Amino acid sequence: MKIKKTLAAAAAIIAAGTLLAGCGIQYDGETTGCTVTDKYVTVSKDKSEKRIATSCGTFNVEDELSQGQWNSADLYARIEVGKTYDFEAYGFRNGFLSAFPNVSDATEVKQ
């Protein structure tokens, strides 16, 4: 009986994790007209992440092997608070997993 309860609990946890991992906003392409409101770096025990907060949401700016992206430091330095950009972004936003979409390119919108 104890094994059945343990297996049922494990199955519930796996199911919940699977459902929550699928929740969130998916980015696969261009996000346009986003005004940058803040730039910051999060630092944890294992890693640091460059982030930008915008009128379209929060994004990471990180190198990504699968996307062939190796210029994140230059891209992050080029993005300025208060300016508006068209972003090329991919990935998903999931608050439960603290996951943010990643910006692979930014083009300033001239006003």
Side-chain angles (χ1 to χ4, degrees):
M1 185 65 144
K2 190 173 186 179
I3 293 174
K4 285 184 181 180
K5 286 184 181 180
T6 302
L7 289 175
I13 291 169
I14 290 169
T18 301
L19 288 173
L20 289 171
C23 295
I25 300 169
Q26 177 72 34
Y27 292 87
D28 188 22
E30 196 167 313
T31 302
T32 60
C34 303
T35 302
V36 177
T37 57
D38 197 12
K39 287 173 58 170
Y40 55 95
V41 176
T42 63
V43 180
S44 68
K45 184 178 177 181
D46 300 328
K47 63 180 178 176
S48 64
E49 294 178 324
K50 298 177 292 294
R51 288 207 182 126
I52 56 171
T54 76
S55 58
C56 301
T58 302
F59 299 88
N60 280 341
V61 182
E62 297 294 330
D63 289 335
E64 180 60 50
L65 173 65
S66 68
Q67 300 291 320
Q69 180 182 349
W70 303 103
N71 66 339
S72 67
D74 296 331
L75 178 60
Y76 183 77
R78 197 173 77 226
I79 296 170
E80 296 180 40
V81 173
K83 292 191 176 180
T84 301
Y85 296 88
D86 290 340
F87 291 115
E88 189 73 29
Y90 59 89
F92 62 94
R93 172 67 179 114
N94 185 303
F96 180 77
L97 299 175
S98 295
F100 294 89
N102 199 46
V103 171
S104 59
D105 196 21
T107 304
E108 185 179 351
V109 175
K110 303 291 184 183
Q111 297 179 347

